[in-house]
């Protein structure tokens, strides 16, 4: 975006400057303490990640290297899975055995044509550093790599789904589990093992699963056009078939209204994970870890609002503006209360855009209300004055009564008001020429015993 855009959108520019100038990382990476192999790993991290590289490098030093290596391992696995130039005979064994590959000294792969192929060509640096981390962390990474590798291999071999797309919501969520839910599981185990998160999170896999499902579903909803161009269909037929007869109809301008309603139902399906995501983040103990998980979640709810009832998502890949992204990052790195306000704000925006003609209008409205209600249970907004008035005694009319001190104050106020008003009236009369020279004398004549008063009749002698 050019300078002209920011000239007409100063709030966007302010958010960018605020993030760049005022953001203070909780922890900072110190390259001077790192080996050449580890420095190369961080270079590969910056090369392969646009979204997570910065926030990973601000993590607590206990988790900085394990999370970096975990990301690179999964990125390498994903690069193999995405490479359509590899034959199945070569791809499937690599995916299923990748958890063993990460223990092979000097392993490299030079046959990929994907954009992140350099990571695979220099993967021996990752293997070298993996052998230096604590054993519990390595075992978690190894376990997650095995589960994800097998899951990816299963989908790569599922030619029916590749040709016909995802059929049911259950299949859709299983795919999201393998590509994102397992990532969340691995990260949660790292957080709990390092004692930077509540151990109870490890006992609530549904919370961890929702974190991954929410992010992956948001990406799928947003990338519908890009995925279709690449020959992939992740929208489940169970949803899109309610709105159009054929998948291609979603991109037919004459059926745009139905396509927008389909996207709305996909957004509704993603929003159902919101409450559990917030509940999960309430269990994070370390600020840097909270920032790490909160920023993507804040971006996700904002992206859902952007694509909701937005026909442009069917024509191109839409993204939130850089200014909005910086504002969300600034707010998401404060605390859970501030993050909840981000959720509340975007839930209200979704509700405002909701169309009564949409078949899911009521369900969407209900889900937005559930998000606000859940936030209210975490951080109630109560007015102390209203709470106080609720405990006041009621009079015979059922209205709050008045105690003695309030009555005295009211009387004093009335008297002061009468004195002030009288003074104003007398002063006004004097300005208009009224004479008050004989006022006191006239008043004294009216009083008993005054100089001009008639004698009072007190007996029969005067009759």
């Amino acid at each position: 975006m050019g300078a002209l855009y920011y000239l007409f959108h100063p709030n966007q520019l302010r958010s960018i400057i605020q993030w760049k100038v005022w953001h203070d990382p909780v922890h900072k990476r110190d390259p001077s303490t790192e080996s050449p192999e580890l420095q190369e790993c961080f270079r590969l991290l910056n090369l392969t990640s646009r979204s997570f590289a910065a926030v990973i490098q601000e993590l607590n030093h206990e988790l900085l290297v394990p999370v970096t290596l975990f990301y690179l391992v999964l990125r390498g696995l994903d690069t193999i899975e995405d490479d359509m130039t590899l034959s199945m005979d070569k791809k499937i064994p690599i995916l299923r055995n990748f958890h063993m590959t990460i223990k092979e000294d000097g392993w490299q792969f030079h046959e990929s044509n994907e954009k992140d192929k350099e990571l695979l060509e220099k993967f021996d640096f990752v293997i070298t550093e993996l052998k230096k981390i604590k054993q519990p962390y390595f075992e978690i990474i190894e376990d997650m790599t095995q589960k994800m590798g097998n899951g990816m291999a299963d989908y790569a071999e599922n030619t029916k789904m590749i040709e016909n797309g995802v059929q049911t919501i259950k299949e859709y969520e299983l795919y999201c589990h393998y590509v994102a839910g397992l990532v969340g599981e691995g990260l949660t185990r790292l957080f709990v093992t390092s004692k930077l998160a509540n151990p109870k999170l490890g006992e609530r896999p549904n919370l961890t699963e929702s974190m991954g499902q929410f992010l992956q579903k948001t990406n799928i909803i947003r990338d519908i056009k890009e995925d279709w161009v690449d020959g992939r269909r992740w929208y489940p037929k169970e949803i899109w078939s309610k709105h159009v007869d054929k998948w291609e109809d979603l991109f037919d301008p004459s059926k745009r209204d139905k396509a927008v309603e389909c996207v709305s139902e996909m957004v509704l399906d993603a929003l159902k994970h919101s409450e559990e995501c917030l509940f999960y983040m309430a269990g994070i103990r370390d600020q840097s870890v909270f920032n790490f998980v909160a920023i993507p979640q804040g971006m996700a709810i904002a992206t859902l609002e952007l694509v909701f009832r937005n026909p442009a998502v069917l024509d191109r890949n839409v993204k939130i503006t850089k200014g909005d992204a910086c504002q969300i990052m600034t707010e998401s790195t404060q605390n859970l209360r501030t993050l909840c306000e981000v959720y509340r704000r975007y839930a209200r925006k979704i509700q405002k855009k909701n169309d009564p003609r949409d078949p899911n209008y009521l369900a969407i409205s209900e889900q937005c209300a559930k998000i606000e209600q859940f936030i209210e249970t975490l951080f109630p907004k109560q007015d102390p004055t209203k709470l106080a008035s609720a405990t006041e005694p009621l009079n015979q009319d059922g209205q709050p009564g008045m105690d003695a001190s309030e009555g005295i104050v009211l009387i004093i106020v009335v008297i002061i008001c009468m004195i002030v008003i009288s003074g104003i009236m007398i002063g006004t009369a004097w300005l208009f020429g009224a004479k008050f020279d004989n006022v006191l004398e006239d008043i004294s004549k009216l009083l008993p015993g005054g100089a001009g008063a008639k004698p009072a009749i007190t007996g029969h002698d005067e009759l």
Side-chain angles (χ1 to χ4, degrees):
M1 297 181 180
L4 187 61
Y5 172 84
Y6 293 114
L7 181 64
F8 289 98
H9 299 84
N11 288 337
Q12 296 277 318
L13 182 60
R14 184 196 63 182
S15 296
I16 296 172
I17 294 175
Q18 184 179 15
W19 173 256
K20 297 291 186 182
V21 175
W22 297 108
H23 174 63
D24 186 21
V26 182
H27 301 280
K28 293 183 179 180
R29 172 186 158 224
D30 185 4
S32 64
T33 63
E34 300 167 355
S35 67
E37 292 82 5
L38 184 55
Q39 290 180 4
E40 179 64 14
C41 287
F42 281 112
R43 189 190 72 81
L44 292 171
L45 174 67
N46 291 320
L47 180 69
T48 57
S49 173
R50 294 169 297 177
S51 305
F52 291 102
V55 70
I56 287 177
Q57 293 177 77
E58 294 179 6
L59 276 171
N60 187 296
H61 293 161
E62 176 67 19
L63 284 180
L64 172 61
V65 176
V67 172
T68 298
L69 298 177
F70 186 36
Y71 176 87
L72 291 176
V73 168
L74 298 186
R75 173 57 68 185
L77 196 62
D78 190 56
T79 302
I80 296 291
E81 193 265 341
D82 286 343
D83 196 335
M84 305 308 294
T85 65
L86 295 176
S87 66
M88 287 297 173
D89 292 338
K90 183 176 289 292
K91 177 185 293 188
I92 299 304
I94 295 177
L95 292 175
R96 294 198 185 279
N97 297 315
F98 208 70
H99 65 290
M100 301 297 294
T101 300
I102 62 175
K103 294 186 285 188
E104 295 181 15
D105 290 331
W107 186 88
Q108 296 177 341
F109 189 76
H110 296 271
E111 300 177 40
S112 175
N113 294 306
E114 284 292 295
K115 59 182 178 64
D116 293 331
K117 63 180 182 179
E118 185 178 352
L119 170 61
L120 295 174
E121 293 169 352
K122 298 183 178 181
F123 203 78
D124 53 323
F125 289 100
V126 179
I127 296 173
T128 299
E129 290 302 315
L130 276 170
K131 295 189 174 184
K132 298 178 183 179
I133 64 176
K134 295 178 181 178
Q135 188 63 24
Y137 298 153
F138 180 83
E139 290 175 356
I140 293 170
I141 294 174
E142 181 184 18
D143 184 37
M144 291 300 103
T145 303
Q146 182 178 14
K147 291 179 179 179
M148 289 193 67
N150 284 322
M152 290 180 175
D154 290 342
Y155 274 94
E157 292 179 317
N158 191 343
T159 55
K160 181 180 178 181
M161 191 196 71
I162 295 174
E163 293 174 0
N164 302 318
V166 177
Q167 298 297 302
T168 66
I169 295 176
K170 185 177 180 180
E171 289 180 359
Y172 172 55
E173 294 193 335
L174 182 60
Y175 171 76
C176 292
H177 167 74
Y178 278 121
V179 299
L182 289 177
V183 177
E185 179 186 338
L187 288 172
T188 300
R189 289 171 62 182
L190 290 173
F191 299 156
V192 171
T193 302
S194 62
K195 300 182 179 179
L196 298 179
N198 192 319
K200 293 294 183 181
L201 289 181
E203 302 172 9
R204 299 286 298 274
N206 58 306
L207 301 182
T208 300
E209 184 68 22
S210 284
M211 291 286 285
Q213 292 276 338
F214 190 61
L215 296 180
Q216 186 62 26
K217 287 182 176 182
T218 299
N219 290 337
I220 288 174
I221 296 169
R222 181 197 61 197
D223 297 340
I224 177 174
K225 179 66 174 180
E226 182 180 322
D227 286 337
W228 175 230
V229 171
D230 293 338
R232 295 188 290 263
R233 292 185 289 179
W234 300 119
Y235 278 43
K237 186 176 181 179
E238 186 177 340
I239 289 180
W240 65 258
S241 62
K242 298 178 186 178
H243 306 278
V244 294
D245 296 327
K246 298 181 298 182
W247 170 259
E248 293 78 5
D249 292 342
L250 291 173
F251 307 96
D252 185 348
S254 65
K255 300 179 181 179
R256 188 52 51 94
D257 289 343
K258 293 296 183 181
V260 168
E261 291 173 357
C262 174
V263 175
S264 296
E265 185 168 352
M266 291 292 290
V267 170
L268 171 62
D269 177 72
L271 285 174
K272 71 183 181 183
H273 301 289
S274 301
E275 299 99 296
E276 289 192 330
C277 289
L278 291 172
F279 196 69
Y280 174 95
M281 289 182 282
I284 302 298
R285 294 174 173 174
D286 181 82
Q287 182 65 46
S288 68
V289 174
F290 178 82
N291 296 351
F292 176 75
V293 298
I295 289 176
Q297 296 295 325
M299 295 291 190
I301 188 73
T303 300
L304 289 177
E305 186 275 328
L306 176 64
V307 302
F308 181 70
R309 300 207 62 80
N310 183 0
V313 74
L314 298 161
D315 297 322
R316 66 181 190 277
N317 188 287
V318 298
K319 294 183 179 181
I320 57 179
T321 64
K322 188 173 182 180
D324 287 339
C326 288
Q327 181 183 359
I328 292 168
M329 290 190 292
T330 300
E331 294 173 323
S332 300
T333 53
Q334 302 301 313
N335 49 57
L336 183 61
R337 180 188 289 272
T338 308
L339 179 63
C340 283
E341 290 305 315
V342 174
Y343 267 69
R344 192 199 303 270
R345 181 170 74 245
Y346 283 103
R348 287 178 177 176
K349 286 185 177 182
I350 291 173
Q351 174 59 44
K352 188 176 181 180
K353 291 166 66 176
N354 200 12
D355 191 335
R357 295 169 295 182
D358 193 309
N360 289 291
Y361 172 77
L362 291 178
I364 293 170
S365 298
E366 182 182 357
Q367 182 56 49
C368 291
K370 283 182 178 179
I371 294 173
E372 290 215 45
Q373 184 178 23
F374 182 77
I375 294 173
E376 189 67 20
T377 63
L378 293 177
F379 302 104
K381 287 188 174 181
Q382 296 177 331
D383 187 344
T385 58
K386 292 182 179 180
L387 292 176
S389 65
T391 62
E392 292 176 352
L394 301 179
N395 58 22
Q396 293 180 351
D397 297 328
Q399 299 297 325
M402 182 183 300
D403 58 27
S405 61
E406 290 177 331
I408 294 173
V409 171
L410 182 60
I411 292 173
I412 294 174
V413 170
V414 171
I415 293 173
I416 293 174
C417 290
M418 291 179 65
I419 294 173
V420 171
I421 293 172
S422 299
I424 293 174
M425 294 177 65
I426 294 173
T428 303
W430 180 77
L431 288 174
F432 281 93
K435 301 296 184 181
F436 300 103
D437 299 342
N438 300 321
V439 170
L440 296 177
E441 183 180 345
D442 293 339
I443 292 176
S444 66
K445 291 179 181 180
L446 298 176
L447 298 175
K454 293 181 179 180
I457 300 176
T458 59
H460 297 284
D461 295 340
E462 287 83 1
L463 293 177

PDB file of all heavy atoms in Angstrom, residues 236-247:
ATOM      1  N   PRO A 236     -15.994 -29.131   2.763  1.00  0.00           N
ATOM      2  CA  PRO A 236     -16.703 -30.418   2.725  1.00  0.00           C
ATOM      3  C   PRO A 236     -17.994 -30.333   1.903  1.00  0.00           C
ATOM      4  O   PRO A 236     -18.734 -29.354   1.995  1.00  0.00           O
ATOM      5  CB  PRO A 236     -17.004 -30.703   4.201  1.00  0.00           C
ATOM      6  CG  PRO A 236     -16.977 -29.372   4.868  1.00  0.00           C
ATOM      7  CD  PRO A 236     -15.991 -28.536   4.114  1.00  0.00           C
ATOM      8  N   LYS A 237     -18.220 -31.369   1.134  1.00  0.00           N
ATOM      9  CA  LYS A 237     -19.436 -31.415   0.307  1.00  0.00           C
ATOM     10  C   LYS A 237     -20.684 -31.357   1.167  1.00  0.00           C
ATOM     11  O   LYS A 237     -21.736 -30.850   0.739  1.00  0.00           O
ATOM     12  CB  LYS A 237     -19.431 -32.694  -0.531  1.00  0.00           C
ATOM     13  CG  LYS A 237     -20.577 -32.769  -1.533  1.00  0.00           C
ATOM     14  CD  LYS A 237     -20.485 -34.007  -2.405  1.00  0.00           C
ATOM     15  CE  LYS A 237     -21.616 -34.047  -3.423  1.00  0.00           C
ATOM     16  NZ  LYS A 237     -21.543 -35.243  -4.299  1.00  0.00           N
ATOM     17  N   GLU A 238     -20.590 -31.858   2.385  1.00  0.00           N
ATOM     18  CA  GLU A 238     -21.726 -31.830   3.308  1.00  0.00           C
ATOM     19  C   GLU A 238     -22.229 -30.405   3.539  1.00  0.00           C
ATOM     20  O   GLU A 238     -23.413 -30.197   3.833  1.00  0.00           O
ATOM     21  CB  GLU A 238     -21.316 -32.471   4.640  1.00  0.00           C
ATOM     22  CG  GLU A 238     -22.455 -32.634   5.628  1.00  0.00           C
ATOM     23  CD  GLU A 238     -22.016 -33.341   6.897  1.00  0.00           C
ATOM     24  OE1 GLU A 238     -20.964 -34.037   6.872  1.00  0.00           O
ATOM     25  OE2 GLU A 238     -22.711 -33.220   7.921  1.00  0.00           O
ATOM     26  N   ILE A 239     -21.342 -29.427   3.374  1.00  0.00           N
ATOM     27  CA  ILE A 239     -21.731 -28.029   3.543  1.00  0.00           C
ATOM     28  C   ILE A 239     -22.049 -27.369   2.203  1.00  0.00           C
ATOM     29  O   ILE A 239     -23.124 -26.781   2.030  1.00  0.00           O
ATOM     30  CB  ILE A 239     -20.628 -27.244   4.290  1.00  0.00           C
ATOM     31  CG1 ILE A 239     -20.575 -27.665   5.760  1.00  0.00           C
ATOM     32  CG2 ILE A 239     -20.881 -25.730   4.205  1.00  0.00           C
ATOM     33  CD1 ILE A 239     -19.526 -26.962   6.590  1.00  0.00           C
ATOM     34  N   TRP A 240     -21.128 -27.442   1.238  1.00  0.00           N
ATOM     35  CA  TRP A 240     -21.356 -26.685   0.007  1.00  0.00           C
ATOM     36  C   TRP A 240     -22.517 -27.206  -0.832  1.00  0.00           C
ATOM     37  O   TRP A 240     -23.148 -26.443  -1.574  1.00  0.00           O
ATOM     38  CB  TRP A 240     -20.080 -26.573  -0.841  1.00  0.00           C
ATOM     39  CG  TRP A 240     -19.498 -27.831  -1.428  1.00  0.00           C
ATOM     40  CD1 TRP A 240     -18.422 -28.521  -0.975  1.00  0.00           C
ATOM     41  CD2 TRP A 240     -19.942 -28.537  -2.603  1.00  0.00           C
ATOM     42  NE1 TRP A 240     -18.152 -29.604  -1.776  1.00  0.00           N
ATOM     43  CE2 TRP A 240     -19.073 -29.634  -2.787  1.00  0.00           C
ATOM     44  CE3 TRP A 240     -20.968 -28.338  -3.514  1.00  0.00           C
ATOM     45  CZ2 TRP A 240     -19.211 -30.535  -3.834  1.00  0.00           C
ATOM     46  CZ3 TRP A 240     -21.124 -29.236  -4.568  1.00  0.00           C
ATOM     47  CH2 TRP A 240     -20.251 -30.324  -4.717  1.00  0.00           C
ATOM     48  N   SER A 241     -22.849 -28.496  -0.679  1.00  0.00           N
ATOM     49  CA  SER A 241     -23.959 -29.048  -1.458  1.00  0.00           C
ATOM     50  C   SER A 241     -25.314 -28.514  -1.006  1.00  0.00           C
ATOM     51  O   SER A 241     -26.315 -28.674  -1.709  1.00  0.00           O
ATOM     52  CB  SER A 241     -23.950 -30.579  -1.368  1.00  0.00           C
ATOM     53  OG  SER A 241     -24.126 -31.011  -0.025  1.00  0.00           O
ATOM     54  N   LYS A 242     -25.380 -27.888   0.155  1.00  0.00           N
ATOM     55  CA  LYS A 242     -26.620 -27.258   0.602  1.00  0.00           C
ATOM     56  C   LYS A 242     -26.932 -25.998  -0.190  1.00  0.00           C
ATOM     57  O   LYS A 242     -28.081 -25.538  -0.210  1.00  0.00           O
ATOM     58  CB  LYS A 242     -26.527 -26.892   2.085  1.00  0.00           C
ATOM     59  CG  LYS A 242     -26.326 -28.045   3.042  1.00  0.00           C
ATOM     60  CD  LYS A 242     -26.202 -27.503   4.458  1.00  0.00           C
ATOM     61  CE  LYS A 242     -25.863 -28.589   5.461  1.00  0.00           C
ATOM     62  NZ  LYS A 242     -25.687 -28.028   6.843  1.00  0.00           N
ATOM     63  N   HIS A 243     -25.908 -25.442  -0.824  1.00  0.00           N
ATOM     64  CA  HIS A 243     -26.063 -24.129  -1.446  1.00  0.00           C
ATOM     65  C   HIS A 243     -25.975 -24.169  -2.976  1.00  0.00           C
ATOM     66  O   HIS A 243     -26.621 -23.364  -3.642  1.00  0.00           O
ATOM     67  CB  HIS A 243     -25.004 -23.186  -0.882  1.00  0.00           C
ATOM     68  CG  HIS A 243     -25.008 -23.114   0.620  1.00  0.00           C
ATOM     69  ND1 HIS A 243     -25.877 -22.311   1.327  1.00  0.00           N
ATOM     70  CD2 HIS A 243     -24.266 -23.765   1.561  1.00  0.00           C
ATOM     71  CE1 HIS A 243     -25.658 -22.459   2.630  1.00  0.00           C
ATOM     72  NE2 HIS A 243     -24.685 -23.339   2.793  1.00  0.00           N
ATOM     73  N   VAL A 244     -25.153 -25.055  -3.517  1.00  0.00           N
ATOM     74  CA  VAL A 244     -25.005 -25.172  -4.980  1.00  0.00           C
ATOM     75  C   VAL A 244     -25.016 -26.647  -5.370  1.00  0.00           C
ATOM     76  O   VAL A 244     -24.789 -27.528  -4.537  1.00  0.00           O
ATOM     77  CB  VAL A 244     -23.697 -24.503  -5.478  1.00  0.00           C
ATOM     78  CG1 VAL A 244     -23.734 -23.006  -5.259  1.00  0.00           C
ATOM     79  CG2 VAL A 244     -22.478 -25.114  -4.777  1.00  0.00           C
ATOM     80  N   ASP A 245     -25.289 -26.894  -6.631  1.00  0.00           N
ATOM     81  CA  ASP A 245     -25.356 -28.277  -7.122  1.00  0.00           C
ATOM     82  C   ASP A 245     -23.972 -28.838  -7.423  1.00  0.00           C
ATOM     83  O   ASP A 245     -23.697 -30.016  -7.164  1.00  0.00           O
ATOM     84  CB  ASP A 245     -26.227 -28.343  -8.378  1.00  0.00           C
ATOM     85  CG  ASP A 245     -27.671 -27.961  -8.083  1.00  0.00           C
ATOM     86  OD1 ASP A 245     -28.146 -28.258  -6.962  1.00  0.00           O
ATOM     87  OD2 ASP A 245     -28.321 -27.347  -8.951  1.00  0.00           O
ATOM     88  N   LYS A 246     -23.098 -28.012  -7.987  1.00  0.00           N
ATOM     89  CA  LYS A 246     -21.753 -28.449  -8.356  1.00  0.00           C
ATOM     90  C   LYS A 246     -20.720 -27.540  -7.702  1.00  0.00           C
ATOM     91  O   LYS A 246     -20.971 -26.359  -7.474  1.00  0.00           O
ATOM     92  CB  LYS A 246     -21.585 -28.423  -9.880  1.00  0.00           C
ATOM     93  CG  LYS A 246     -22.513 -29.361 -10.641  1.00  0.00           C
ATOM     94  CD  LYS A 246     -22.231 -29.275 -12.137  1.00  0.00           C
ATOM     95  CE  LYS A 246     -22.485 -27.876 -12.672  1.00  0.00           C
ATOM     96  NZ  LYS A 246     -22.261 -27.790 -14.137  1.00  0.00           N
ATOM     97  N   TRP A 247     -19.537 -28.101  -7.410  1.00  0.00           N
ATOM     98  CA  TRP A 247     -18.467 -27.324  -6.797  1.00  0.00           C
ATOM     99  C   TRP A 247     -18.136 -26.086  -7.626  1.00  0.00           C
ATOM    100  O   TRP A 247     -17.927 -24.996  -7.077  1.00  0.00           O
ATOM    101  CB  TRP A 247     -17.239 -28.207  -6.614  1.00  0.00           C
ATOM    102  CG  TRP A 247     -16.003 -27.463  -6.218  1.00  0.00           C
ATOM    103  CD1 TRP A 247     -14.969 -27.108  -7.025  1.00  0.00           C
ATOM    104  CD2 TRP A 247     -15.686 -26.951  -4.916  1.00  0.00           C
ATOM    105  NE1 TRP A 247     -14.016 -26.416  -6.311  1.00  0.00           N
ATOM    106  CE2 TRP A 247     -14.429 -26.307  -5.010  1.00  0.00           C
ATOM    107  CE3 TRP A 247     -16.339 -26.989  -3.696  1.00  0.00           C
ATOM    108  CZ2 TRP A 247     -13.816 -25.707  -3.927  1.00  0.00           C
ATOM    109  CZ3 TRP A 247     -15.733 -26.382  -2.602  1.00  0.00           C
ATOM    110  CH2 TRP A 247     -14.488 -25.743  -2.724  1.00  0.00           C
TER     111      TRP A 247
END
